[in-house]
Amino acid sequence: MKKIKVGLLGCGAVGTSVYELIQKNQDKYYALLGAEIEVVKIVVHSLDKKRPSIPNQLLTLDPNEVLEDQDIDVVVEVMGGITDAKDYVLKALKNKKHVVTANKDLMAVYGQPIFELGDQEQKLVLFEASVAGALPVIGTIKNDLASNKINKVMGIINGTTNFILTKMFDEGLPLDLVLKEAQDLGYAEADPTADVEGLDAARKIAILASISFNTRVVLDDVYVEGISKIATDDIEYAKQFKSTIKLLGIAIVNDGKVEVRVHPTLIPLNHPLAKVDDVYNAIYLEGDAFGDLTFLGKGAGGFPTASAVVGDILTIGKNILNPVSKIKNCTCYLDLPIKTIKQVESHYYIRMIVADETGVLSKIASVFAENNVSIDSVIQKKLANKKAELVLLTDRVEEDNFMKAKVGIESLITVDSVTSILRSEKEN
Ligand code: HSE
């Protein structure tokens, strides 16, 4: 009886959960495939770590025990990092093994050469777990929604920052305190830079944009701003505008050009993504046939991520037992240009400290008008020492025009400083 033999590269929280899930649900997998899935080797960095659920004889320090084992059908890369992961994935494909990877860092930069080698060797490269853990978006976009042309993908794709922003909104606490709590709870890493500065989300939106628009988008194409400058005052003003602030990944194709960005975004409280709280992820899509779709669920963690990894192993298992005629991993048949951030259109939020004098608001309004920026709404708060804080929302405008207006406003003698700028999304 054929077995689907799996070698794991990595045995952290995800690798351990992959092993445990395969043991737990083996009866179902056997019934669906008519073959057993067997993990035959697991590559680890240290043999000393306690792994109570994993038989010791499966563990090895040598990646070649997986990559060069003729019997292994599927190599599952759950080790993270880029350089070794890339070498191992390429070697696995060269050695005629199908690949499953959970590695967004790898796929957001080296997707193309990995797919090309997979196509050449006629081996599948599946990466459902690389974006938003358990949310079934990659296979869904590549397969079930392939009948559509997708023009927008937008989402909350980083749980750590969503936890932080939710706490800041609900409890009025500053970012550094909430970050500390997130670290204590194990949601945020000791070095939180990749999450807080938006780099984790940038990798995920690059992958989502590539598969949604069928054009290659890599990490360097993504405009990235993190949440580190969000102040409690911004959250309070957002509330006054009946809005909240979320770190969004946004990718849009428009007039044959792609815009792809990650930044904190003001969204109205009645927006579907405004209600996605704590560590939850959500991904919203627009397509020409399905209209709109939203996926909501756990974007990280051992078992939610293993859910996606093992789903990919099952897809490969089916393919091994009943091969499709020709494997084509890469679905990027277009080569669309990427817009610069200056070319992107958005609504804007701008907060500034000004002199509390007659005519100040009208001078600011004039600078906006000179740059074709239309004002949507204004909040003014009186401060001590004849100062006032002004917060404005604009209508939709090209970023270049808005930034020119900002420079003009900063040069006004009655404006002390522009303290914050945020982009704002009105529609879904
Ligand atoms: N650190 C990520 C997050 C999970 O906070 O969502 C892994 O991509």
Side-chain angles (χ1 to χ4, degrees), residues 104 157-161 187 189 195 200 204 281 299-300:
K104 63 191 166 291
I157 45 181
N158 182 268
T160 306
T161 46
Y187 292 144
E189 312 258 350
D195 292 317
D200 174 81
K204 293 169 183 166
N281 280 200

Side-chain angles (χ1 to χ4, degrees), residues 263-380:
H263 50 69
T265 313
L266 207 76
I267 51 175
L269 290 173
N270 62 5
H271 190 291
L273 294 178
K275 299 169 190 73
V276 178
D277 282 337
D278 301 320
V279 291
Y280 272 81
N281 280 200
I283 295 173
Y284 168 89
L285 301 168
E286 285 178 10
D288 56 0
F290 65 76
D292 61 274
L293 273 174
T294 304
F295 300 83
L296 170 69
K298 293 201 173 82
F303 276 104
T305 309
S307 160
V309 170
V310 179
D312 281 349
I313 296 172
L314 287 168
T315 302
I316 289 174
K318 281 182 208 151
N319 189 269
I320 289 171
L321 298 165
N322 294 295
V324 297
S325 52
K326 190 165 191 310
I327 288 172
K328 195 164 177 341
N329 290 294
C330 186
T331 50
C332 291
Y333 66 90
L334 296 170
D335 186 16
L336 301 179
I338 310 283
K339 284 188 190 178
T340 66
I341 190 68
K342 281 184 174 182
Q343 295 172 303
V344 162
E345 284 190 5
S346 182
H347 302 256
Y348 291 83
Y349 159 105
I350 178 167
R351 177 160 70 91
M352 59 193 111
I353 307 291
V354 302
D356 188 9
E357 289 170 12
T358 311
V360 172
L361 187 54
S362 98
K363 279 189 193 127
I364 290 168
S366 301
V367 176
F368 274 130
E370 283 156 21
N371 290 283
N372 288 319
V373 182
S374 160
I375 296 168
D376 177 71
S377 43
V378 183
I379 295 175
Q380 180 173 243

Side-chain angles (χ1 to χ4, degrees), residues 181-256:
E181 186 181 345
Q183 284 170 323
D184 292 345
L185 287 168
Y187 292 144
E189 312 258 350
D191 177 359
T193 314
D195 292 317
V196 170
E197 296 304 344
L199 298 167
D200 174 81
R203 291 173 172 118
K204 293 169 183 166
I205 198 71
I207 295 169
L208 287 172
S210 297
I211 58 164
S212 297
F213 308 149
N214 304 101
T215 189
R216 177 70 43 213
V217 177
V218 295
L219 178 61
D220 279 349
D221 295 325
V222 184
Y223 173 83
V224 193
E225 263 177 43
I227 65 164
S228 57
K229 296 199 191 95
I230 301 292
T232 44
D233 283 351
D234 293 315
I235 302 268
E236 287 313 309
Y237 283 116
K239 286 180 187 173
Q240 291 185 43
F241 286 119
K242 296 192 171 25
S243 296
T244 185
I245 298 172
K246 296 287 189 188
L247 183 72
L248 296 189
I250 302 174
I252 298 170
V253 69
N254 195 353
D255 292 336

